[in-house]
Amino acid sequence: MSWRLAALFALPVIFAVAYQQYSTSSMSPTLAAIRRSNAEFVGNLKGAPVAVVVGGTSGIGQGMAEAFARWRSGRAHIVIVGRSEAVAKEIIATFPKPTTGEGESWSHEFVKCDATLMKNVKSASEEILARHSKINYLIMSPGFFTTSGRDETPEGIDKKLAVHYYGRWKFIDQLLPALRKAKEEEEEARVLSVLSAGYSGKIDVNDLGLKKGYSVKAAADAAPTYNDLMIESFHERNPDIIFAHSYPGGVLTNLISSARSAWMRAVAPIANTLARPFLVTRHDCAEYMWHGLLTSTDGAIRFDNHGENLEGKRYYGSEEAKTKLWEHTVDATNV
């Protein structure tokens, strides 16, 4: 593929990123104010906070894990969940070393998990629960970038949807006992799924999982709507826990470079270069994502790339869809 042809494929991506990044409200707090607020809130948390970051070996998840470690000066239990132990160890090595004399043995850990398979999510969750009886923050931001058609796992789930929805649902479901334990101890318990809040689409309740009508657009429409309904359903069943779905905006990550589609990897250098002026770093994005999660008071909230409540923007949920999706997901993730 020539550079000229590659650029033609890259340009729509660039324009979409630019529009999405700058189409949010200008009334948001400044980034400097958000940084101060986040650091103060997390730095003053009582007890031994536990943060689990799924997808924490790169991009937004990495940025959120790094921020939490920095605010706590290492005085926290941080569990990074991902596929590469080597990368996780490099990230953890940069965390501030815990101060002594706290009467607590702080841990910064890695749990291996390929989230395309629900059996892996179940195993990873069991490993986490064996180490931590409570969880204060569950952050999920794993990505799977491809433009190919349906790619089914041995469990019968499309890989893209597995990473963007089913695996996240399974993590929440499996780790709920630890989240509830945090609330029982009168501590924070909050869950965040970073995907595409506010960019949802209509779904077919008779084809949940898209086994009949899969397309790149159908998957792109379905996953955000599934996430919207997921946080609502979990909150209804756990009203004292905050569940959030966010849109991070354009972020400088390696998602395109590591895409499953060869042509996307080919255009990655052009796309990344052209988009760079419109992108934020993972560190700045992490501040906005934490801001939206930490300041949320609604039990089930969607927020944008500045951490601001999206309210009803591009919401395609219904009670029927919520009920049918829950029943479908319970069955699809039962391993």
Side-chain angles (χ1 to χ4, degrees):
M1 180 181 292
S2 70
W3 287 100
R4 182 175 299 176
L5 183 58
L8 289 176
F9 282 111
L11 283 175
V13 176
I14 306 309
F15 290 135
V17 167
Y19 172 76
Q20 292 171 344
Q21 189 69 16
Y22 289 99
S23 61
T24 52
S25 172
S26 61
M27 301 300 291
S28 305
T30 66
L31 182 56
I34 287 172
R35 284 196 180 104
R36 290 192 298 270
S37 175
N38 288 343
E40 181 179 3
F41 185 97
V42 176
N44 290 329
L45 288 173
K46 303 300 181 183
V50 180
V52 175
V53 185
V54 180
T57 54
S58 65
I60 299 165
Q62 178 182 348
M64 295 190 74
E66 290 170 335
F68 198 84
R70 183 175 66 253
W71 296 327
R72 292 294 301 175
S73 298
R75 297 175 295 108
H77 300 293
I78 301 176
V79 182
I80 291 179
V81 182
R83 291 181 297 172
S84 175
E85 182 175 6
V87 172
K89 286 183 175 179
E90 291 177 2
I91 295 169
I92 289 172
T94 68
F95 289 176
K97 297 299 182 290
T99 55
T100 58
E102 296 287 341
E104 178 72 35
S105 178
W106 307 104
S107 62
H108 301 152
E109 314 158 24
F110 169 73
V111 172
K112 187 177 181 63
C113 182
D114 176 353
T116 60
L117 291 173
M118 300 305 105
K119 68 176 184 179
N120 293 345
V121 174
K122 180 180 179 181
S123 177
S125 298
E126 290 172 348
E127 185 176 348
I128 293 169
L129 291 174
R131 302 180 190 180
H132 302 284
S133 62
K134 72 164 186 180
I135 294 173
N136 301 99
Y137 299 100
L138 172 58
I139 310 298
M140 299 175 292
S141 65
F144 191 97
F145 197 43
T146 180
T147 57
S148 62
R150 184 179 178 85
D151 183 6
E152 221 174 73
T153 71
E155 296 171 342
I157 299 174
D158 172 66
K159 289 182 179 179
K160 187 180 182 71
L161 290 175
V163 173
H164 289 168
Y165 169 65
Y166 293 96
R168 299 178 189 217
W169 189 98
K170 187 71 171 177
F171 266 117
I172 297 174
D173 186 60
Q174 293 287 296
L175 297 177
L176 264 175
L179 289 159
R180 290 177 178 144
K181 179 69 180 304
K183 291 307 298 183
E184 290 171 4
E185 297 182 5
E186 299 184 346
E187 295 182 3
E188 288 274 298
R190 297 177 181 246
V191 177
L192 172 62
S193 179
V194 180
L195 189 63
S196 298
Y199 290 88
S200 307
K202 295 181 180 179
I203 61 173
D204 182 353
V205 296
N206 297 311
D207 186 25
L208 297 171
L210 302 178
K211 288 203 171 188
K212 302 174 184 176
Y214 187 94
S215 69
V216 173
K217 182 182 185 306
D221 286 344
T225 298
Y226 290 178
N227 272 256
D228 287 347
L229 300 178
M230 174 181 75
I231 64 169
E232 291 179 2
S233 294
F234 273 112
H235 173 63
E236 289 172 0
R237 292 164 172 79
N238 305 272
D240 55 346
I241 298 176
I242 299 290
F243 294 90
H245 174 205
S246 70
Y247 166 67
V251 185
L252 191 60
T253 70
N254 66 350
L255 188 59
I256 298 180
S257 302
S258 60
R260 299 302 174 100
S261 304
W263 78 266
M264 289 302 296
R265 294 195 300 273
V267 304
I270 296 175
N272 290 335
T273 299
L274 294 177
R276 188 176 295 271
F278 307 107
L279 304 180
V280 299
T281 67
R282 70 171 186 269
H283 305 291
D284 288 351
C285 178
E287 295 283 355
Y288 286 123
M289 296 298 97
W290 275 115
H291 166 68
L293 182 62
L294 296 176
T295 59
S296 294
T297 56
D298 293 336
I301 185 173
R302 303 183 309 148
F303 58 83
D304 65 17
N305 55 317
H306 287 160
E308 299 299 308
N309 194 334
L310 285 166
E311 298 179 348
K313 179 183 177 183
R314 287 186 64 86
Y315 176 80
Y316 290 92
S318 69
E319 289 304 315
E320 178 193 19
K322 192 186 304 180
T323 299
K324 288 188 174 181
L325 180 64
W326 182 271
E327 294 172 350
H328 160 78
T329 308
V330 168
D331 181 63
T333 61
N334 184 25
V335 293

